[in-house]
Amino acid sequence: MYLRFGANVMKNLARVIAALAFSSLGTAAVAGNCVTPPNVNQLATEIAAGVNQSRRANGQAPLRFNRRLGQAAMVHACDMLANDFFDHRGSDGSSSQARVQQAGYNDCIVAENIAWGYPQAQRIISGWMNSPGHRRNMLHPRIEDMGIGITQGPKGPYWVLVVGKQC
């Protein structure tokens, strides 16, 4: 059974992700510098809906939210904001796989899409769908879960989508 990302499901998503990220993985330095946009819940809902709409349009099952993937996504978004960089490799050298495993997600498949500076979720989904690698991540037929992290920096938001399948 898959969860749909409606208003009820996403209402407190960003707060839950941030709380989990800071309590389980984030350092005080990252947590102190991590700011989410005022409309983070709406943005996360739009990203989740866009991912699942794209999957359905391409014959794939929708993804369900996974707190551990959300935790890993938020930690990476906070790391990029706090350390002023944009890369799949963390400031500590970590990969997306290492971050999801540190969050307690036993992955058989994991992939990460990142974006920076885009003010609108729909533009990010369109951009990812027009990029072969990002599109492949979003439409992978075996993935089942997703997590989203969004932070607000002085030069625009950092967006992280982590998708995966547990072993």
Side-chain angles (χ1 to χ4, degrees):
M1 178 175 183
Y2 292 96
L3 297 176
R4 293 182 190 254
F5 287 87
N8 292 338
V9 174
M10 296 300 290
K11 184 176 180 184
N12 293 312
L13 173 63
R15 281 188 225 114
V16 169
I17 293 170
L20 287 170
F22 300 146
S23 66
S24 299
L25 290 177
T27 63
V30 170
N33 292 324
C34 196
V35 177
T36 59
N39 61 340
V40 68
N41 290 332
Q42 175 188 344
L43 296 172
T45 299
E46 291 171 4
I47 289 290
V51 168
N52 280 335
Q53 180 180 23
S54 297
R55 287 183 60 80
R56 281 190 295 275
N58 287 277
Q60 300 300 327
L63 302 179
R64 62 185 168 236
F65 172 71
N66 180 282
R67 288 180 185 213
R68 290 181 175 155
L69 290 183
Q71 183 178 6
M74 192 65 189
V75 164
H76 191 53
C78 290
D79 183 29
M80 289 190 294
L81 173 64
N83 293 294
D84 194 27
F85 73 98
F86 181 72
D87 198 312
H88 289 285
R89 184 146 313 273
S91 64
D92 62 356
S94 63
S95 66
S96 60
Q97 184 175 36
R99 290 187 292 274
V100 302
Q101 289 175 351
Q102 186 176 8
Y105 188 88
N106 183 22
D107 69 289
C108 281
I109 301 169
V110 70
E112 177 182 78
N113 287 359
I114 59 176
W116 173 75
Y118 289 89
Q120 299 171 337
Q122 187 52 48
R123 289 185 60 200
I124 293 165
I125 296 296
S126 295
W128 284 341
M129 287 300 289
N130 288 318
S131 164
H134 294 106
R135 179 184 178 92
R136 188 172 38 254
N137 290 346
M138 289 172 50
L139 300 181
H140 194 289
R142 291 182 38 218
I143 60 171
E144 298 174 349
D145 305 315
M146 77 170 130
I148 300 164
I150 307 167
T151 59
Q152 180 63 50
K155 301 174 191 171
Y158 287 91
W159 308 78
V160 179
L161 169 69
V162 179
V163 296
K165 177 182 167 115
Q166 294 191 65
C167 293

